[in-house]
Amino acid sequence: MEETLQESSSNKYAEFACGVEKYSISVEVDSSLIHFIKGKGGSVQTQIEGELAVKIIFPSSKEDNCIVIEGNSVESVTKASEKIATIVEEAVKSPRLDYSHFISLPLAIHPELVEKLNHFQNSILGDAPSSQDDNLESAADKEEDEEKQSESPSVAVNLEVQDEKEHKRVKTDTVDSKSNVQTSILSDLGIDRSIFIKPRTFHLTVLMLKLWNKDRVAAATEVLQGISSKVKDALDNRPVVIGLKGLTCMRGSPAKARVVYAPVTEIGGEGRLLRACQVMIDAYVEAGLVLEKDAHQTLKLHATLMNVRHRKRKRTRRHDSFDARHIFKVHGSKDWGEYLIREVHLSQRFKFDESGYYHCCASIPLPENMQTE
């Protein structure tokens, strides 16, 4: 005897197989959810197996998304699969399961903007204030101090060393020493390269999604491709250009920043881009692919430049932040330029294409030329 069960509430399938006094169900569960079913130290798995006298067999590779539940009765394996379905449902709603995909408007397709972002990052990582005091020194003051230091007899470049190789070595040691001091200053400010957004991934986010299996990714792909004409209609079938200017903190202050972004304005101020974004959001909500807590949030388009969530080495303080006052002083009124929004992507997080941008699961083009009658 063999039958297939469809569980629409969690978008997964379960397949019964019956042997000699032995029953099993194959349940599709994405690899990102496996650790929730196992629990800390295997505690959740052990509890289910003990209570229901079943055995849970996990896939041997990340490519395989099927969990097998074996037991001596249909009732036991069915109850075990129901428990797993509940665990998955709770995990998806939990902040412990990160978003897997998002709807993005790529900005990294503009080489000149990527170049500006690289320059921005390098100027900060190579040009930081020497203290965290409220009266932060200006870039001009710092350059003047460095000029004075270059006149000091203790600097390697002015040492009279007969051996040219030795002279180069001393110069290198001095540069390394300055670099170490610079790194120390940045560290005190809470700034390191990892909190900067990678220029080749620069984008605007329209909507965050948790697509924990192939069925949901396929559904999300179908939604995006199906609303292409509606999105273009919302744009009046005309190109849409955005401007990026200045810096802003998302909550908090420059002294204790967590996220720094460039505000976005639609050139022309017609609101066409936001209307198009709302078409996308409504379509995904209607398809049941958006978490309830995300469904009614107000969209505020912004281009993130720095985010402490990306920090590789977590700081010991409870609420991670960085001192961005010097950054705001030097770059606070920066004009990043105006850019055409050319396409919409269903992007996968933590996976990248050859261009360096997030892996594209699906995309739709936006108008690039004015239509003529």
Side-chain angles (χ1 to χ4, degrees):
M1 177 185 70
E2 185 174 295
E3 61 175 315
T4 300
L5 301 180
Q6 184 71 33
E7 302 186 28
S8 58
S9 62
S10 57
N11 277 337
K12 60 188 181 60
Y13 71 86
E15 182 181 278
F16 269 115
C18 175
V20 180
E21 296 183 352
K22 186 176 181 181
Y23 298 82
S24 67
I25 300 180
S26 180
V27 183
E28 183 183 348
V29 178
D30 189 77
S31 58
S32 62
L33 293 161
I34 295 293
H35 71 280
F36 290 98
I37 299 168
K38 288 183 176 180
K40 189 175 182 179
S43 58
V44 175
Q45 176 188 356
T46 301
Q47 182 181 359
I48 295 174
E49 290 179 334
E51 287 181 1
L52 300 172
V54 296
K55 180 176 178 59
I56 302 174
I57 303 171
F58 293 96
S60 57
S61 72
K62 289 186 177 181
E63 303 302 321
D64 186 0
N65 289 337
C66 286
I67 291 176
V68 177
I69 306 169
E70 295 181 347
N72 296 324
S73 69
V74 172
E75 183 182 10
S76 64
V77 293
T78 300
K79 285 185 176 180
S81 69
E82 289 171 351
K83 277 186 173 290
I84 288 176
T86 301
I87 291 169
V88 169
E89 187 176 346
E90 292 176 352
V92 169
K93 295 178 181 178
S94 165
R96 290 193 299 154
L97 179 67
D98 214 342
Y99 293 96
S100 60
H101 296 72
F102 63 105
I103 303 301
S104 75
L105 307 177
L107 294 177
I109 58 177
H110 298 284
E112 66 275 23
L113 179 54
V114 172
E115 185 177 347
K116 288 179 182 179
L117 292 169
N118 279 318
H119 182 268
F120 168 72
Q121 294 184 11
N122 292 333
S123 68
I124 294 170
L125 294 169
D127 176 21
S130 61
S131 73
Q132 300 183 59
D133 297 334
D134 290 336
N135 296 322
L136 297 176
E137 65 178 351
S138 66
D141 290 337
K142 187 176 181 192
E143 290 175 2
E144 183 178 348
D145 288 343
E146 289 177 346
E147 287 175 2
K148 289 179 179 178
Q149 288 177 1
S150 68
E151 296 171 3
S152 169
S154 63
V155 178
V157 292
N158 288 330
L159 287 176
E160 294 183 3
V161 182
Q162 292 182 352
D163 191 323
E164 185 177 351
K165 292 182 179 180
E166 180 67 14
H167 181 58
K168 289 181 179 179
R169 186 189 67 78
V170 175
K171 285 176 68 176
T172 301
D173 289 346
T174 305
V175 171
D176 289 343
S177 177
K178 286 184 178 180
S179 177
N180 290 336
V181 171
Q182 185 74 10
T183 301
S184 177
I185 293 170
L186 289 169
S187 179
D188 290 342
L189 295 170
I191 297 172
D192 63 61
R193 189 172 291 276
S194 68
I195 69 174
F196 288 88
I197 300 300
K198 292 181 176 64
R200 293 189 182 277
T201 67
F202 202 50
H203 66 277
L204 304 180
T205 299
V206 177
L207 181 66
M208 300 298 296
L209 299 167
K210 291 186 180 183
L211 308 177
W212 62 90
N213 62 30
K214 294 177 181 177
D215 288 342
R216 292 181 73 83
V217 174
T221 297
E222 186 176 343
V223 168
L224 183 61
Q225 293 173 341
I227 60 173
S228 178
S229 60
K230 289 184 178 180
V231 171
K232 290 177 182 177
D233 287 344
L235 294 173
D236 295 335
N237 289 295
R238 291 184 287 130
V240 62
V241 176
I242 57 104
L244 302 174
K245 187 172 183 179
L247 298 176
T248 305
C249 282
M250 185 175 292
R251 296 185 294 273
S253 66
K256 293 184 177 180
R258 295 178 59 81
V259 178
V260 171
Y261 66 90
V264 177
T265 57
E266 179 185 327
I267 303 304
E270 299 175 79
R272 292 183 297 122
L273 181 57
L274 282 179
R275 286 201 300 272
C277 290
Q278 195 59 52
V279 168
M280 302 177 216
I281 294 169
D282 291 345
Y284 279 98
V285 170
E286 186 178 344
L289 295 172
V290 181
L291 296 182
E292 187 176 348
K293 73 179 186 68
D294 296 332
H296 305 293
Q297 290 188 2
T298 302
L299 176 63
K300 182 179 180 180
L301 290 174
H302 61 279
T304 302
L305 296 163
M306 304 172 73
N307 190 338
V308 293
R309 285 195 63 192
H310 296 210
R311 193 187 300 279
K312 289 184 178 179
R313 294 183 179 180
K314 298 300 180 184
R315 309 184 85 200
T316 55
R317 63 182 63 180
R318 183 177 178 183
H319 298 293
D320 191 6
S321 65
F322 61 97
D323 189 336
R325 287 175 292 178
H326 185 68
I327 296 173
F328 272 73
K329 187 172 185 178
V330 177
H331 303 280
S333 59
K334 183 177 180 63
D335 189 344
W336 301 89
E338 298 178 359
Y339 303 96
L340 175 69
I341 304 297
R342 293 177 178 167
E343 52 197 16
V344 182
H345 284 201
L346 170 60
S347 299
Q348 181 176 348
R349 300 182 71 203
F350 316 118
K351 185 176 180 180
F352 306 91
D353 290 334
E354 289 184 5
S355 65
Y357 193 71
Y358 294 99
H359 174 62
C360 179
C361 301
S363 67
I364 57 173
L366 298 182
E368 292 195 33
N369 300 304
M370 295 292 292
Q371 287 192 345
T372 57
E373 295 184 0

